Amino acid sequence: MVDFPVAKHQENGRAAGPRAWLVARIIALCRGLFGAIVDAVTQRRNFILFPFAMIAGLIFYRVVPGEPSFIALALMNASALIVAWTGRDVTPVREIALLALMFSIGTTLLPLHAVLFGTPMLDAPRYGTYTARIEAVTYDDGAQQRWVLSNISGELDWTIPDVRLARVTVSGAYDVSPGDEMTARIRFYPVPPPAVPGGYDSQFVSHFDGIGAYGNAFGEIDITKSGQGGLVRVVKDVRTAITARIVAQLDERIGGIAAALVTGDQSRITEADRDLMASAGIAHVISISGLHLTLVAGTMFTCVRFLLSLGHGITQRVPIKKIAAGFGIATALAYMVISGMVIPAVRSTIMLALVFAAIIAGRQALTMRNVAIAALAIIVFEPTSVFRASFQLSFAAVIALIAAYELARRNRENRERPNRSRALALALDITTTSVIAGLATLVFTAYHFQQTAPFGVLGNLMVMPIVSFVMMPAALLGTLLLPLGLEAIPYAALGWSIEAMLWCAAFVRQLSGGFDPSPILSPLALIVALLALAWLAYFRTRIRVAGAILAVPLISAFCLEQPPDIFIADQSQAVAVRSGERVALIAGRNNTFATTIWSERYLTVIENAHPATGCDSLGCVLSTQDGYTIALVRSRDVFDEDCRIAEIVVTRLNAPPQCRKAATLVIDASDLARHGAHMINWNGPDLAPTIRTAIDGPDRPWRIQPQ
């Protein structure tokens, strides 16, 4: 091991002076970091960094302004592979080259995915009577459904959207399954861009999922039943039947939540209940994830092992623990399929399969390598999931919990475990797990949902015993007994547990008084959080927590966003302006999709209208309290005047070149068509305004080019 020089008089600590003390601390930190790296390399933990390198490659591909060529990507992968192969006998070269290879593979995954599953994007609305095949039913609340359609055909070729798949909203309840054919009047329209900078990008996700258009069906819909669909159809029918039985036994509200726990169908959960559980920090309970898979598969494992252990002869002849592990794997796989194979469920199933397989093989079950294997599998088969909240929240929580488990295990090896009552141990375990998972997912929750749930620890402490010992065992038992018609009692217990959970959530929200100090984070915060997770996962010693600790000041200093001063929608007429303490519209209507997203994203109340705004048929002008004037131009006749008197000009027309020379900033129709919604901060007369746009990379394949 390399020995660092020790500062003179280090043994005297602070007595040697602040500078010497600081130098000594830095040297000690370098020693600890070097020792942690050597330990991690010795333990072959570089494999744990493979998914992080792939994610870095995916991010690189996502943010580059232009589409990289396949030749360049192929050369980069070939170069990394050659270096890794030629340097395989030199450990540092091999390990660095392998990480570079994972990075280059990450940059290639999305283009390859687009070739295999992607689609052109519809660029203009189409209307007509179409026949199509139903591939999936993604939403069904009893009053409205969403279908994914393929093989779209119509009477007039020029009206047929050139897309692989389309998502269509249908009013009413139809008994359809994958493989059925439908004929209806449909209005197809382009997939909308993000509503705010850094917001959910449906164009990006839909392009790689093969969905190139959205639509609405009107009038009568003819359904032709088909025996096609295979396993997908069977699974859909089973999920529908289970949901119907649950809702029939329980009322619509409680049954909707119960159905979400069993089949993953959240379409019947009301927004009020979602907000209630989110405010108490227990929204994760209704999203099938590792918690649910672990409880269900773990319950099956425990029950099978207990029943087999009752027969003394059986325990002598067969390995009951391994048999129980096999039942655990089968249960996890079945639950994953019934729940719709969402990303958290797939990740958790892979993890549980690895854990139970390790039990069968007699190996250590809970390791960070298993997390890396699960991450690699999901990244390869669904790379767009990396950019979704479910993937980020799921893996952040699992990495933090396993890191804590590894640290606790090393501490237990060096000290005697104190005697504690089981109830106290359970409460401490729930509290610790809640705190660790909550802190690990804090950045991602604040970024995606603008919620931090500061009283989430209390909410989880109250709810998790109900979930662990009543809710999920009752859901498992009721579903197993459902083919026999004996599900009434277990599902009744499931309903009671859900009512108890909602009561606990209401109590926590009332106690918190709505306090939720959520910051407005920039996308850079996600990068910092990713690096902190990689640090936490890679190292084994206590230095692993340094990455998470360092992330806090980095995010606070460099990753916070100020609410915009000017909000400009691209899909509607809405324009909102901050003047003093008020944010109000100078054009458009309030409580629309755009204004609702603005309010939620930036935690800002948008009022209906500024009283100081002067409007007529030609446009509007507002002189703000911050010292600048903004003009909204509706007619070409006023460009000359408004561009001279206003620092910022907004128009849905194409502004003349002389307007851009006169005004400080001009946002016109071409800007909105190419870059989407605009968020602007006025930085005073001496600095240029800060502009953030919703559409990044307007020339990428998933973007719709302006007409």
Side-chain angles (χ1 to χ4, degrees):
M1 180 181 294
V2 176
D3 193 16
F4 290 92
V6 180
K8 187 177 181 180
H9 305 306
Q10 179 180 348
E11 67 277 3
N12 294 330
R14 292 181 182 272
R19 181 177 300 177
W21 179 84
L22 179 61
V23 170
R25 300 281 74 76
I26 293 175
I27 291 175
L29 179 62
C30 292
R31 280 183 166 179
L33 179 59
F34 184 80
I37 294 174
V38 171
D39 174 74
V41 173
T42 303
Q43 296 296 320
R44 302 177 67 180
R45 291 178 72 89
N46 284 2
F47 177 78
I48 295 172
L49 296 179
F50 284 5
F52 291 98
M54 273 193 178
I55 292 172
L58 289 166
I59 295 173
F60 175 79
Y61 170 81
R62 178 69 176 81
V63 300
V64 293
E67 189 71 10
S69 68
F70 272 101
I71 295 177
L73 294 174
L75 289 175
M76 183 170 62
N77 278 275
S79 300
L81 183 60
I82 291 172
V83 173
W85 177 258
T86 56
R88 63 187 183 278
D89 296 328
V90 183
T91 301
V93 175
R94 182 187 67 239
E95 299 299 333
I96 294 175
L98 285 174
L99 289 175
L101 179 61
M102 293 299 107
F103 175 86
S104 62
I105 291 175
T107 62
T108 311
L109 281 175
L110 283 172
L112 182 60
H113 206 76
V115 171
L116 296 176
F117 310 106
T119 180
M121 305 298 289
L122 183 67
D123 58 358
R126 307 286 176 86
Y127 179 84
T129 300
Y130 303 96
T131 298
R133 182 180 188 269
I134 300 174
E135 292 291 333
V137 179
T138 61
Y139 181 88
D140 181 6
D141 64 355
Q144 190 179 79
Q145 295 179 339
R146 293 195 192 109
W147 301 342
V148 175
L149 306 180
S150 66
N151 301 331
I152 303 170
S153 60
E155 297 177 356
L156 300 176
D157 291 342
W158 65 271
T159 67
I160 301 174
D162 182 22
V163 297
R164 195 170 71 87
L165 299 171
R167 196 192 77 181
V168 173
T169 300
V170 180
S171 297
Y174 292 87
D175 180 18
V176 295
S177 298
D180 295 345
E181 287 193 351
M182 57 84 68
T183 301
R185 289 185 295 122
I186 302 175
R187 179 185 179 271
F188 291 105
Y189 56 90
V191 178
V196 292
Y200 178 73
D201 194 342
S202 55
Q203 288 183 345
F204 173 76
V205 174
S206 296
H207 170 71
F208 292 101
D209 287 346
I211 298 176
Y214 287 175
N216 294 99
F218 302 93
E220 293 294 328
I221 300 177
D222 294 330
I223 304 296
T224 303
K225 303 296 289 185
S226 170
Q228 301 177 3
L231 180 61
V232 175
R233 184 188 186 95
V234 173
V235 171
K236 185 267 176 185
D237 291 341
V238 170
R239 296 182 66 206
T240 301
I242 294 174
T243 300
R245 295 278 286 274
I246 292 175
V247 174
Q249 168 127 4
L250 308 173
D251 60 41
E252 188 72 21
R253 181 193 182 197
I254 302 301
I257 298 175
L261 295 171
V262 177
T263 66
D265 180 9
Q266 298 188 19
S267 58
R268 288 176 169 81
I269 302 178
T270 64
E271 288 300 321
D273 284 338
R274 291 181 191 272
D275 294 340
L276 174 63
M277 288 183 279
S279 65
I282 59 171
H284 60 90
V285 172
I286 60 174
S287 298
I288 293 179
S289 61
L291 168 68
H292 306 76
L293 268 296
T294 301
L295 290 174
V296 169
T299 300
M300 178 62 75
F301 170 79
T302 303
C303 292
V304 170
R305 187 179 181 187
F306 172 74
L307 292 174
L308 291 177
S309 67
L310 296 178
H312 180 71
I314 297 178
T315 59
Q316 299 297 319
R317 291 192 296 269
V318 297
I320 62 173
K321 185 177 181 181
K322 295 181 179 182
I323 294 175
F327 275 90
I329 293 176
T331 303
L333 291 173
Y335 192 17
M336 177 191 69
V337 172
I338 291 175
S339 65
M341 299 185 67
V342 292
I343 290 299
V346 174
R347 186 269 308 161
S348 302
T349 301
I350 296 173
M351 282 289 299
L352 285 170
L354 292 171
V355 168
F356 286 128
I359 292 175
I360 294 173
R363 303 283 297 275
Q364 182 178 332
L366 199 60
T367 67
M368 201 69 76
R369 290 180 67 88
N370 290 349
V371 181
I373 293 172
L376 288 172
I378 292 178
I379 291 170
V380 169
F381 288 104
E382 193 169 2
T384 56
S385 65
V386 169
F387 301 95
R388 298 176 183 175
S390 60
F391 178 94
Q392 297 166 15
L393 293 167
S394 178
F395 274 95
V398 171
I399 287 172
L401 289 172
I402 291 184
Y405 169 78
E406 290 179 344
L407 284 174
R409 185 181 61 198
R410 297 187 71 177
N411 291 335
R412 283 197 301 269
E413 293 173 355
N414 300 324
R415 68 181 66 175
E416 184 178 353
R417 188 171 182 176
N419 292 325
R420 297 181 304 190
S421 67
R422 292 187 177 182
L424 177 61
L426 176 63
L428 289 176
D429 288 344
I430 292 174
T431 303
T432 304
T433 301
S434 177
V435 170
I436 293 172
L439 291 175
T441 58
L442 184 65
V443 173
F444 304 101
T445 303
Y447 179 83
H448 290 289
F449 308 113
Q450 290 73 54
Q451 291 177 331
T452 55
F455 288 81
V457 173
L458 176 60
N460 281 274
L461 186 60
M462 295 177 66
V463 167
M464 290 315 298
I466 301 173
V467 175
S468 302
F469 298 112
V470 182
M471 186 180 296
M472 295 312 299
L476 172 62
L477 181 59
T479 304
L480 291 176
L481 295 178
L482 194 140
L484 303 176
L486 303 176
E487 76 281 1
I489 295 178
Y491 278 169
L494 174 60
W496 298 332
S497 66
I498 292 173
E499 291 177 351
M501 178 184 69
L502 294 175
W503 183 90
C504 293
F507 174 80
V508 172
R509 184 169 68 175
Q510 184 178 10
L511 188 67
S512 66
F515 175 70
D516 190 2
S518 300
I520 303 174
L521 301 179
S522 70
L524 183 60
L526 299 182
I527 304 297
V528 175
L530 176 67
L531 294 175
L533 285 174
W535 184 288
L536 185 66
Y538 182 61
F539 295 114
R540 293 200 313 154
T541 63
R542 287 182 294 179
I543 202 172
R544 71 195 312 171
V545 302
I549 295 174
L550 183 60
V552 175
L554 287 177
I555 291 175
S556 300
F558 303 107
C559 304
L560 298 182
E561 282 189 0
Q562 294 296 322
D565 296 320
I566 302 172
F567 307 71
I568 309 172
D570 60 331
Q571 302 287 312
S572 67
Q573 298 295 317
V575 178
V577 179
R578 183 185 307 275
S579 181
E581 298 298 324
R582 300 181 60 186
V583 178
L585 294 171
I586 64 171
R589 295 182 295 106
N590 211 345
N591 299 320
T592 61
F593 176 78
T595 58
T596 301
I597 294 296
W598 295 346
S599 298
E600 294 175 353
R601 175 71 177 91
Y602 298 108
L603 308 176
T604 300
V605 176
I606 297 178
E607 301 178 15
N608 289 328
H610 274 296
T613 305
C615 289
D616 56 25
S617 61
L618 303 179
C620 298
V621 177
L622 171 66
S623 295
T624 68
Q625 298 179 23
D626 299 310
Y628 69 93
T629 299
I630 179 172
L632 176 65
V633 177
R634 293 195 178 100
S635 172
R636 298 184 181 278
D637 296 335
V638 295
F639 269 121
D640 184 60
E641 177 183 357
D642 286 356
C643 293
R644 281 188 290 103
I645 66 172
E647 283 79 13
I648 297 178
V649 176
V650 179
T651 178
R652 306 288 171 176
L653 307 171
N654 288 320
Q658 60 268 24
C659 184
R660 296 186 183 275
K661 296 178 182 179
T664 302
L665 175 65
V666 177
I667 306 297
D668 68 357
S670 61
D671 297 317
L672 296 172
R674 184 167 175 79
H675 298 287
H678 282 56
M679 305 292 136
I680 302 171
N681 286 93
W682 175 256
N683 298 320
D686 299 326
L687 296 175
T690 302
I691 306 172
R692 299 190 298 273
T693 59
I695 295 179
D696 56 346
D699 297 321
R700 304 303 292 274
W702 54 87
R703 295 300 179 206
I704 299 169
Q705 300 305 314
Q707 296 297 307

